[in-house]
Amino acid sequence: MKLKNNQIGVLIVIILIGGIYIAKGFDLWVTESDKIPVKLSEGIGAGSYDPFDIRGSYSFEEISDVFEMDITLLAEAFQLGDVEEAKGIKSKDLESLYGELEDDIEIGNESVQVFVAIMKELDISGSDAMLPVSAVQVLLAENPNRSEEVLTYLESHQVEAYSNGAIPEIEAQTDSEGLKVNGNTTFSQVIDFGVSKQEIEAIIGGKMPPENQSVRSYCTENGLSFSEVKEALNTLIMP
Amino acid sequence: MEKKGRSMKKKWRIRNVVQLGFFLLISVIAINKYFVENGSGSSILSSASLHSVCPFGGVVSIYNLLTVGDYVQKIHSSALVLMGLVFLLSILLGPVFCGWICPLGTFQEWIGKLGKRIFKKRYNLFVPKRLDGFMRYFRILVLVWVIYITAKTGLLVFTNVDPYYALFNFWTGEVAIQALVILVLTAIGALFVERPWCKYLCPYGALLGFANSIKIFKIYRDENTCISCDLCNQSCPMNIDVANSKKISQLQCISCFECSSESTCPVPETVEIKWGEK
């Protein structure tokens, strides 16, 4: 059996395009991470999505969809302009939008996590992220009868900060995230950040996992809270 | 002869059309991804990252999937699907991915056309044979290194030196300087040597090259009708000695089929792509 060049060309295109089409039919064609946080396994709100698993790469539209929150509230809280503009902005973009604030205060992904947690009336203990006054106003306007713990938090963690309105240029993930543990970080990176294997073992309460495994996937597999492990590791990385 | 000339032109075009098509497709994906991340871009076009449409990402993810059940950072199941499809194509036809699809190979070929104009018959013959033969083992070493380092870290470390990633992302600020340097050196090298990256350093080409020994459709040269004009050798971008081989199963073959009677060989039915020949 002989093949001609034009038959080869057609065969290549058919196999590739057809293969992708079939893979799509079986839901095997996935080109990006699903923007779905892990669910809380215990405590207040068990079974609901964990706001502290919101990653910097989530857009405000995705956050609004997953947590079933009106995007106008998010846009108003973080001064993101109109709704259409807010949809495409990513949580990590807040750092650029707000720029450098006094006393090393930062408005970023963690601010969004806390905001969503309070909106959904979930546990915020252990959080220390700052919120712009506009976000605090939205939270109080939505529910003036917040718990004493939340009111104290809002009182001590609000800052007069204003978005500069400029949607930031694309940045390399490693640059924008800095030396921080995020949803993609592997244990080999944590070691590269200067955390020893013993320290990792102490935090996860078990033997050192394979270095090529991501922290997030290990936590999910072993029923650990990713946000708590992440927080503990970040404390060691940035004392 | 006139008919043969017309036919050659037509057949020459089909591979180049396929190459151009994939080059444009990857360019559009890369550019759209950049605009989508900046809040614009088209929702109709794919905003997939280059990593998710690179079949080599599937290869380097296998160890991670088997040991920790997770993909390497930035890799998704689409890369694994493409890896499977490219393996299927390679078992059928050899590394057609290299000769017909890979945009970096196409990029080098385009620069090579300029090199051919400048150096005429000296083009692609600058590297002494012994040195060339020795250097061709490098890509296997690169393959072993990439698989080892990715398995150890779970990270796409190769991206930092990958000229393919650099070619389609140089404007984003995400490309490591060493990858840009390698891209520039590859482009300069392609002026003297056809497909220098493919020949000496490409880890994926090294892996797909093994398919040459098992591929179903092989290139055969009919010794009885061959007129020993050597045109097949001159047309081979990988410097394979087609004129003195009965069957082409060298690991370096990229299945571009430029040597075939349809493309370059002037004698009909002398260099052909067949299945079932002994």
Short mmCIF file of all heavy atoms in Angstrom, two decimals, chain B residues 60-109:
data_model
loop_
_atom_site.label_atom_id
_atom_site.label_comp_id
_atom_site.label_asym_id
_atom_site.label_seq_id
_atom_site.Cartn_x
_atom_site.Cartn_y
_atom_site.Cartn_z
N VAL B 60 6.34 14.71 29.56
CA VAL B 60 7.03 14.98 30.82
C VAL B 60 6.11 14.87 32.03
O VAL B 60 6.56 14.88 33.17
CB VAL B 60 7.74 16.37 30.81
CG1 VAL B 60 8.84 16.40 29.78
CG2 VAL B 60 6.75 17.50 30.58
N SER B 61 4.81 14.77 31.79
CA SER B 61 3.85 14.64 32.90
C SER B 61 3.62 13.19 33.32
O SER B 61 3.05 12.95 34.38
CB SER B 61 2.49 15.24 32.52
OG SER B 61 2.44 16.59 32.87
N ILE B 62 4.05 12.26 32.48
CA ILE B 62 3.71 10.86 32.74
C ILE B 62 4.19 10.41 34.12
O ILE B 62 3.44 9.81 34.89
CB ILE B 62 4.28 9.95 31.64
CG1 ILE B 62 3.51 10.20 30.34
CG2 ILE B 62 4.16 8.46 32.01
CD1 ILE B 62 4.06 9.47 29.14
N TYR B 63 5.45 10.74 34.46
CA TYR B 63 5.99 10.30 35.75
C TYR B 63 5.16 10.88 36.90
O TYR B 63 4.81 10.18 37.85
CB TYR B 63 7.46 10.72 35.88
CG TYR B 63 8.07 10.32 37.20
CD1 TYR B 63 8.55 9.03 37.41
CD2 TYR B 63 8.14 11.23 38.26
CE1 TYR B 63 9.08 8.66 38.63
CE2 TYR B 63 8.68 10.87 39.49
CZ TYR B 63 9.15 9.59 39.67
OH TYR B 63 9.67 9.22 40.89
N ASN B 64 4.83 12.17 36.80
CA ASN B 64 4.03 12.81 37.85
C ASN B 64 2.67 12.14 37.99
O ASN B 64 2.19 11.91 39.10
CB ASN B 64 3.81 14.28 37.51
CG ASN B 64 4.51 15.19 38.48
OD1 ASN B 64 5.71 15.04 38.68
ND2 ASN B 64 3.78 16.11 39.08
N LEU B 65 2.06 11.83 36.86
CA LEU B 65 0.74 11.20 36.89
C LEU B 65 0.82 9.83 37.55
O LEU B 65 -0.06 9.44 38.33
CB LEU B 65 0.19 11.07 35.47
CG LEU B 65 -0.43 12.33 34.89
CD1 LEU B 65 -0.68 12.18 33.40
CD2 LEU B 65 -1.73 12.69 35.60
N LEU B 66 1.89 9.10 37.25
CA LEU B 66 2.01 7.75 37.80
C LEU B 66 2.37 7.76 39.28
O LEU B 66 1.95 6.89 40.04
CB LEU B 66 3.08 6.96 37.03
CG LEU B 66 2.74 6.62 35.58
CD1 LEU B 66 3.91 5.93 34.89
CD2 LEU B 66 1.49 5.74 35.51
N THR B 67 3.13 8.76 39.72
CA THR B 67 3.58 8.76 41.11
C THR B 67 2.68 9.54 42.06
O THR B 67 2.40 9.09 43.17
CB THR B 67 5.02 9.31 41.22
OG1 THR B 67 5.06 10.60 40.60
CG2 THR B 67 6.03 8.38 40.56
N VAL B 68 2.24 10.73 41.64
CA VAL B 68 1.41 11.52 42.56
C VAL B 68 0.01 11.81 42.00
O VAL B 68 -0.78 12.52 42.61
CB VAL B 68 2.10 12.86 42.95
CG1 VAL B 68 3.36 12.59 43.73
CG2 VAL B 68 2.40 13.72 41.75
N GLY B 69 -0.26 11.25 40.83
CA GLY B 69 -1.61 11.37 40.27
C GLY B 69 -1.98 12.77 39.83
O GLY B 69 -3.16 13.11 39.76
N ASP B 70 -0.99 13.59 39.55
CA ASP B 70 -1.28 14.97 39.18
C ASP B 70 -0.40 15.38 38.00
O ASP B 70 0.68 14.83 37.81
CB ASP B 70 -0.97 15.87 40.39
CG ASP B 70 -1.84 17.11 40.40
OD1 ASP B 70 -2.60 17.29 39.43
OD2 ASP B 70 -1.75 17.88 41.36
N TYR B 71 -0.87 16.37 37.23
CA TYR B 71 -0.07 16.86 36.12
C TYR B 71 1.06 17.74 36.63
O TYR B 71 0.97 18.30 37.73
CB TYR B 71 -0.93 17.68 35.16
CG TYR B 71 -1.95 16.85 34.41
CD1 TYR B 71 -3.26 16.76 34.86
CD2 TYR B 71 -1.58 16.14 33.28
CE1 TYR B 71 -4.19 15.98 34.20
CE2 TYR B 71 -2.52 15.36 32.60
CZ TYR B 71 -3.81 15.29 33.07
OH TYR B 71 -4.72 14.51 32.41
N VAL B 72 2.08 17.88 35.81
CA VAL B 72 3.12 18.85 36.10
C VAL B 72 2.49 20.23 36.02
O VAL B 72 1.53 20.43 35.27
CB VAL B 72 4.25 18.70 35.04
CG1 VAL B 72 5.22 19.86 35.08
CG2 VAL B 72 4.99 17.38 35.24
N GLN B 73 3.03 21.17 36.79
CA GLN B 73 2.51 22.55 36.78
C GLN B 73 2.25 23.05 35.36
O GLN B 73 3.10 22.86 34.48
CB GLN B 73 3.56 23.47 37.39
CG GLN B 73 3.23 23.95 38.75
CD GLN B 73 4.24 24.98 39.23
OE1 GLN B 73 4.87 25.67 38.46
NE2 GLN B 73 4.39 25.04 40.53
N LYS B 74 1.13 23.70 35.13
CA LYS B 74 0.74 24.33 33.87
C LYS B 74 0.33 23.34 32.77
O LYS B 74 0.04 23.73 31.65
CB LYS B 74 1.84 25.25 33.33
CG LYS B 74 2.22 26.37 34.27
CD LYS B 74 3.34 27.20 33.71
CE LYS B 74 3.76 28.26 34.72
NZ LYS B 74 4.91 29.01 34.30
N ILE B 75 0.38 22.05 33.06
CA ILE B 75 0.01 21.05 32.06
C ILE B 75 -1.39 20.53 32.37
O ILE B 75 -1.75 20.36 33.54
CB ILE B 75 1.02 19.88 32.05
CG1 ILE B 75 2.40 20.38 31.64
CG2 ILE B 75 0.57 18.75 31.13
CD1 ILE B 75 2.50 20.91 30.23
N HIS B 76 -2.17 20.30 31.32
CA HIS B 76 -3.53 19.80 31.50
C HIS B 76 -3.74 18.59 30.61
O HIS B 76 -2.86 18.23 29.82
CB HIS B 76 -4.53 20.91 31.17
CG HIS B 76 -4.27 22.17 31.94
ND1 HIS B 76 -4.53 22.28 33.28
CD2 HIS B 76 -3.70 23.34 31.56
CE1 HIS B 76 -4.17 23.48 33.69
NE2 HIS B 76 -3.66 24.14 32.67
N SER B 77 -4.91 18.00 30.70
CA SER B 77 -5.15 16.73 29.99
C SER B 77 -5.04 16.90 28.47
O SER B 77 -4.77 15.94 27.76
CB SER B 77 -6.52 16.17 30.36
OG SER B 77 -7.53 17.02 29.90
N SER B 78 -5.25 18.12 27.96
CA SER B 78 -5.14 18.33 26.51
C SER B 78 -3.75 17.94 26.00
O SER B 78 -3.61 17.40 24.90
CB SER B 78 -5.43 19.79 26.18
OG SER B 78 -4.62 20.64 26.96
N ALA B 79 -2.72 18.20 26.80
CA ALA B 79 -1.35 17.86 26.39
C ALA B 79 -1.19 16.34 26.29
O ALA B 79 -0.50 15.83 25.41
CB ALA B 79 -0.34 18.43 27.38
N LEU B 80 -1.88 15.64 27.18
CA LEU B 80 -1.81 14.17 27.17
C LEU B 80 -2.55 13.62 25.94
O LEU B 80 -2.11 12.66 25.31
CB LEU B 80 -2.45 13.64 28.45
CG LEU B 80 -1.84 12.36 29.02
CD1 LEU B 80 -0.40 12.58 29.44
CD2 LEU B 80 -2.65 11.85 30.19
N VAL B 81 -3.68 14.25 25.60
CA VAL B 81 -4.44 13.85 24.41
C VAL B 81 -3.57 14.05 23.17
O VAL B 81 -3.45 13.15 22.32
CB VAL B 81 -5.74 14.68 24.29
CG1 VAL B 81 -6.39 14.47 22.94
CG2 VAL B 81 -6.71 14.32 25.41
N LEU B 82 -2.93 15.21 23.08
CA LEU B 82 -2.08 15.49 21.92
C LEU B 82 -0.89 14.53 21.86
O LEU B 82 -0.50 14.08 20.79
CB LEU B 82 -1.58 16.93 21.96
CG LEU B 82 -2.61 18.00 21.62
CD1 LEU B 82 -2.03 19.39 21.81
CD2 LEU B 82 -3.11 17.84 20.19
N MET B 83 -0.34 14.22 23.03
CA MET B 83 0.77 13.26 23.07
C MET B 83 0.33 11.93 22.46
O MET B 83 1.03 11.34 21.62
CB MET B 83 1.21 13.04 24.52
CG MET B 83 2.34 12.03 24.67
SD MET B 83 2.51 11.46 26.37
CE MET B 83 1.14 10.30 26.47
N GLY B 84 -0.85 11.46 22.83
CA GLY B 84 -1.38 10.20 22.30
C GLY B 84 -1.58 10.26 20.79
O GLY B 84 -1.22 9.34 20.06
N LEU B 85 -2.14 11.38 20.33
CA LEU B 85 -2.40 11.53 18.88
C LEU B 85 -1.09 11.59 18.09
O LEU B 85 -0.98 11.01 17.01
CB LEU B 85 -3.24 12.79 18.62
CG LEU B 85 -4.66 12.76 19.20
CD1 LEU B 85 -5.33 14.12 19.05
CD2 LEU B 85 -5.50 11.69 18.53
N VAL B 86 -0.11 12.28 18.65
CA VAL B 86 1.19 12.37 17.95
C VAL B 86 1.89 11.01 17.95
O VAL B 86 2.50 10.63 16.95
CB VAL B 86 2.07 13.48 18.59
CG1 VAL B 86 3.49 13.44 18.02
CG2 VAL B 86 1.46 14.85 18.34
N PHE B 87 1.76 10.27 19.03
CA PHE B 87 2.33 8.90 19.04
C PHE B 87 1.65 8.04 17.97
O PHE B 87 2.30 7.28 17.28
CB PHE B 87 2.19 8.26 20.41
CG PHE B 87 3.25 8.69 21.40
CD1 PHE B 87 3.04 8.58 22.77
CD2 PHE B 87 4.47 9.22 20.96
CE1 PHE B 87 4.03 8.98 23.68
CE2 PHE B 87 5.45 9.62 21.86
CZ PHE B 87 5.23 9.51 23.22
N LEU B 88 0.34 8.18 17.86
CA LEU B 88 -0.40 7.42 16.86
C LEU B 88 0.10 7.77 15.45
O LEU B 88 0.37 6.87 14.63
CB LEU B 88 -1.91 7.71 16.99
CG LEU B 88 -2.83 7.11 15.93
CD1 LEU B 88 -2.81 5.59 16.01
CD2 LEU B 88 -4.26 7.62 16.10
N LEU B 89 0.23 9.05 15.18
CA LEU B 89 0.74 9.50 13.88
C LEU B 89 2.16 8.96 13.65
O LEU B 89 2.50 8.56 12.54
CB LEU B 89 0.76 11.03 13.82
CG LEU B 89 -0.55 11.73 13.49
CD1 LEU B 89 -0.42 13.24 13.68
CD2 LEU B 89 -0.97 11.43 12.04
N SER B 90 2.97 8.97 14.71
CA SER B 90 4.36 8.52 14.58
C SER B 90 4.44 7.03 14.29
O SER B 90 5.29 6.59 13.52
CB SER B 90 5.14 8.85 15.85
OG SER B 90 5.07 10.22 16.11
N ILE B 91 3.57 6.26 14.91
CA ILE B 91 3.57 4.81 14.65
C ILE B 91 3.14 4.55 13.20
O ILE B 91 3.65 3.68 12.53
CB ILE B 91 2.67 4.08 15.66
CG1 ILE B 91 3.34 4.11 17.04
CG2 ILE B 91 2.40 2.63 15.23
CD1 ILE B 91 2.44 3.71 18.18
N LEU B 92 2.23 5.37 12.72
CA LEU B 92 1.76 5.21 11.33
C LEU B 92 2.81 5.68 10.32
O LEU B 92 3.16 4.96 9.38
CB LEU B 92 0.50 6.05 11.12
CG LEU B 92 -0.85 5.41 11.33
CD1 LEU B 92 -1.94 6.47 11.10
CD2 LEU B 92 -1.07 4.25 10.37
N LEU B 93 3.31 6.90 10.53
CA LEU B 93 4.10 7.57 9.48
C LEU B 93 5.50 8.01 9.90
O LEU B 93 6.23 8.59 9.12
CB LEU B 93 3.34 8.83 9.03
CG LEU B 93 1.95 8.62 8.47
CD1 LEU B 93 1.14 9.90 8.55
CD2 LEU B 93 2.02 8.15 7.03
N GLY B 94 5.87 7.76 11.16
CA GLY B 94 7.13 8.30 11.65
C GLY B 94 6.91 9.68 12.22
O GLY B 94 5.76 10.12 12.37
N PRO B 95 8.00 10.41 12.53
CA PRO B 95 7.83 11.71 13.21
C PRO B 95 7.29 12.82 12.31
O PRO B 95 7.93 13.84 12.11
CB PRO B 95 9.25 12.04 13.67
CG PRO B 95 10.08 10.87 13.37
CD PRO B 95 9.40 10.04 12.34
N VAL B 96 6.09 12.63 11.77
CA VAL B 96 5.49 13.68 10.94
C VAL B 96 5.22 14.95 11.74
O VAL B 96 5.09 16.03 11.17
CB VAL B 96 4.17 13.22 10.27
CG1 VAL B 96 4.43 12.39 9.04
CG2 VAL B 96 3.27 12.51 11.24
N PHE B 97 5.16 14.79 13.06
CA PHE B 97 4.98 15.99 13.89
C PHE B 97 6.12 16.97 13.60
O PHE B 97 5.91 18.17 13.44
CB PHE B 97 4.96 15.63 15.38
CG PHE B 97 4.88 16.84 16.28
CD1 PHE B 97 3.67 17.46 16.53
CD2 PHE B 97 6.02 17.37 16.85
CE1 PHE B 97 3.60 18.59 17.33
CE2 PHE B 97 5.96 18.50 17.65
CZ PHE B 97 4.75 19.11 17.89
N CYS B 98 7.36 16.41 13.51
CA CYS B 98 8.53 17.27 13.27
C CYS B 98 8.49 17.85 11.86
O CYS B 98 8.74 19.03 11.66
CB CYS B 98 9.82 16.46 13.45
SG CYS B 98 9.95 15.58 15.01
N GLY B 99 8.20 17.01 10.88
CA GLY B 99 8.29 17.43 9.49
C GLY B 99 7.10 18.22 8.97
O GLY B 99 7.22 18.94 7.98
N TRP B 100 5.96 18.08 9.61
CA TRP B 100 4.75 18.69 9.07
C TRP B 100 4.06 19.65 10.03
O TRP B 100 3.28 20.50 9.60
CB TRP B 100 3.71 17.61 8.70
CG TRP B 100 4.10 16.76 7.54
CD1 TRP B 100 5.15 15.88 7.48
CD2 TRP B 100 3.45 16.69 6.27
NE1 TRP B 100 5.18 15.27 6.26
CE2 TRP B 100 4.14 15.73 5.49
CE3 TRP B 100 2.33 17.31 5.71
CZ2 TRP B 100 3.77 15.40 4.19
CZ3 TRP B 100 1.96 16.98 4.42
CH2 TRP B 100 2.68 16.04 3.66
N ILE B 101 4.26 19.48 11.33
CA ILE B 101 3.43 20.23 12.28
C ILE B 101 4.23 21.24 13.12
O ILE B 101 3.82 22.39 13.25
CB ILE B 101 2.69 19.25 13.24
CG1 ILE B 101 1.79 18.32 12.42
CG2 ILE B 101 1.89 20.00 14.29
CD1 ILE B 101 1.21 17.16 13.21
N CYS B 102 5.33 20.80 13.71
CA CYS B 102 6.04 21.63 14.70
C CYS B 102 6.34 23.04 14.17
O CYS B 102 7.09 23.21 13.21
CB CYS B 102 7.33 20.95 15.13
SG CYS B 102 8.28 21.96 16.28
N PRO B 103 5.78 24.08 14.80
CA PRO B 103 6.00 25.44 14.31
C PRO B 103 7.46 25.89 14.43
O PRO B 103 7.90 26.72 13.65
CB PRO B 103 5.10 26.29 15.21
CG PRO B 103 4.13 25.35 15.80
CD PRO B 103 4.84 24.04 15.92
N LEU B 104 8.18 25.34 15.41
CA LEU B 104 9.59 25.73 15.52
C LEU B 104 10.39 25.14 14.36
O LEU B 104 11.30 25.80 13.82
CB LEU B 104 10.18 25.25 16.87
CG LEU B 104 11.63 25.69 17.12
CD1 LEU B 104 11.77 27.20 17.19
CD2 LEU B 104 12.18 25.06 18.39
N GLY B 105 10.04 23.93 13.94
CA GLY B 105 10.67 23.33 12.76
C GLY B 105 10.37 24.16 11.52
O GLY B 105 11.26 24.44 10.70
N THR B 106 9.13 24.59 11.39
CA THR B 106 8.73 25.43 10.25
C THR B 106 9.50 26.75 10.25
O THR B 106 10.01 27.18 9.22
CB THR B 106 7.21 25.72 10.35
OG1 THR B 106 6.53 24.48 10.41
CG2 THR B 106 6.72 26.51 9.16
N PHE B 107 9.61 27.33 11.42
CA PHE B 107 10.35 28.60 11.57
C PHE B 107 11.80 28.43 11.10
O PHE B 107 12.34 29.26 10.34
CB PHE B 107 10.30 29.00 13.05
CG PHE B 107 11.16 30.17 13.42
CD1 PHE B 107 10.84 31.46 13.01
CD2 PHE B 107 12.29 30.00 14.21
CE1 PHE B 107 11.63 32.54 13.38
CE2 PHE B 107 13.08 31.08 14.58
CZ PHE B 107 12.75 32.34 14.17
N GLN B 108 12.42 27.32 11.50
CA GLN B 108 13.81 27.06 11.08
C GLN B 108 13.89 26.84 9.56
O GLN B 108 14.84 27.26 8.91
CB GLN B 108 14.35 25.84 11.80
CG GLN B 108 14.56 26.06 13.31
CD GLN B 108 14.94 24.75 13.99
OE1 GLN B 108 16.09 24.37 14.03
NE2 GLN B 108 13.95 24.05 14.52
N GLU B 109 12.88 26.15 9.02
CA GLU B 109 12.88 25.92 7.57
C GLU B 109 12.80 27.23 6.80
O GLU B 109 13.45 27.41 5.78
CB GLU B 109 11.70 25.02 7.17
CG GLU B 109 12.05 23.55 7.24
CD GLU B 109 10.97 22.67 6.62
OE1 GLU B 109 10.27 23.11 5.69
OE2 GLU B 109 10.84 21.52 7.07
#
